[in-house]
């Protein structure tokens, strides 16, 4: 497999999951501003959508969408430790969180990345995110991970919540989220993925 990624973007979640399950894969960096891969290839010729993550299989097929790829990668582990077995309540909980992160958190950050976003929209975005952060904080006050045990939903949540650092969003009002972030970042696979992407030393 080959993972096309851009450092610190949502592709980091898939990168973490691949390391968690011990998958064999190659990494190809993508400059999203220029839409070029590390060797100068036009990324649009690889992915018409032009974004990461993109996972290329040995048969040459290419697949996108973080939440879908995370489910696929989690199932590479016969024990399904990162997602739960088919039909289980745990699996439903993990997929529920993956969907929430994708639709509410991941996309919720969107307007904050663009300088042209009006201030009123920017503030409304921050207010919506604050409600989501508060919900997560209350959840994490009761248990260490979103679906009780560590899962691909946590790899995704960690990746997206980490954007608060890039955007200078204060998180001091959410101590349980802060403790959660520290807990996830301490996992060897998470540290290895972040180191490989140049996010930590």
């Amino acid at each position: 497999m080959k993972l096309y990624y851009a450092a610190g973007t949502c592709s980091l979640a898939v990168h973490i999951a691949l390391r968690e399950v011990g998958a064999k894969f190659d990494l190809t960096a993508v400059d999203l501003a220029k839409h070029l891969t590390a060797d100068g290839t036009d990324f649009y010729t690889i992915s018409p959508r032009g974004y990461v993550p993109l996972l290329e299989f040995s048969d040459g097929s290419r697949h996108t969408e973080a939440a879908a790829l995370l489910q696929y990668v989690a199932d590479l582990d016969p024990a399904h430790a990162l997602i739960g077995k088919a039909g289980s309540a745990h699996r439903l909980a993990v997929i529920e969180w993956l969907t929430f992160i994708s639709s509410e958190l991941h996309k919720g950050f969107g307007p904050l990345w663009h300088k042209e976003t009006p201030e009123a929209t920017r503030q409304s975005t921050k207010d919506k995110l604050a409600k989501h952060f508060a919900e997560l904080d209350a959840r994490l006050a009761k248990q260490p991970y979103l679906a009780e045990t560590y899962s691909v939903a946590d790899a995704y949540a960690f990746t997206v919540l980490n954007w608060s650092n890039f955007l200078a969003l204060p998180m001091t009002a959410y101590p349980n989220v802060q403790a959660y972030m520290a807990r996830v970042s301490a996992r060897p696979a998470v540290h290895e993925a972040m180191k490989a992407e140049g996010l930590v030393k």
Side-chain angles (χ1 to χ4, degrees):
M1 287 186 293
K2 180 187 293 185
L3 175 66
Y4 289 85
Y5 79 99
T9 66
C10 60
S11 57
L12 174 62
V14 179
H15 187 177
I16 290 169
L18 286 165
R19 290 181 183 273
E20 292 279 11
V21 300
K24 292 183 179 180
F25 64 97
D26 296 316
L27 287 170
T28 296
V30 178
D31 183 331
L32 292 178
K34 298 178 180 178
H35 288 96
L36 296 174
T37 64
D39 65 3
T41 301
D42 180 352
F43 189 53
Y44 281 118
T45 64
I46 297 170
S47 174
R49 292 174 181 167
Y51 57 68
V52 295
L54 183 143
L55 199 58
E56 183 177 283
F57 296 164
S58 58
D59 64 0
S61 64
R62 293 164 174 161
H63 306 270
T64 62
E65 308 311 319
L69 295 178
L70 287 166
Q71 292 177 60
Y72 173 82
V73 172
D75 281 332
L76 294 177
D77 170 20
H80 307 287
L82 296 180
I83 194 166
K85 294 183 179 180
S88 68
H90 182 61
R91 188 182 185 94
L92 176 58
V94 173
I95 294 174
E96 184 178 359
W97 279 109
L98 285 173
T99 306
F100 174 82
I101 296 161
S102 177
S103 64
E104 302 301 322
L105 286 182
H106 185 168
K107 291 302 179 185
F109 271 93
L112 300 181
W113 293 111
H114 305 287
K115 294 180 180 179
E116 67 273 16
T117 298
E119 187 54 40
T121 302
R122 193 173 294 275
Q123 187 57 54
S124 174
T125 297
K126 290 179 180 179
D127 291 344
K128 288 178 182 177
L129 285 173
K131 290 181 180 179
H132 295 322
F133 296 160
E135 178 186 348
L136 292 177
D137 200 68
R139 176 82 171 188
L140 294 166
K142 301 174 183 177
Q143 57 195 56
Y145 299 107
L146 296 178
E148 294 190 10
T149 59
Y150 181 78
S151 72
V152 285
D154 298 299
Y156 197 4
F158 171 82
T159 296
V160 174
L161 290 169
N162 195 49
W163 296 344
S164 63
N165 294 315
F166 296 102
L167 295 165
L169 289 180
M171 299 296 286
T172 52
Y174 317 104
N176 298 307
V177 171
Q178 289 182 309
Y180 167 77
M181 293 295 284
R183 195 157 49 245
V184 176
S185 68
R187 294 182 65 84
V190 175
H191 181 78
E192 289 166 7
M194 294 185 76
K195 185 175 181 180
E197 295 192 11
L199 300 171
V200 297
K201 294 183 178 180

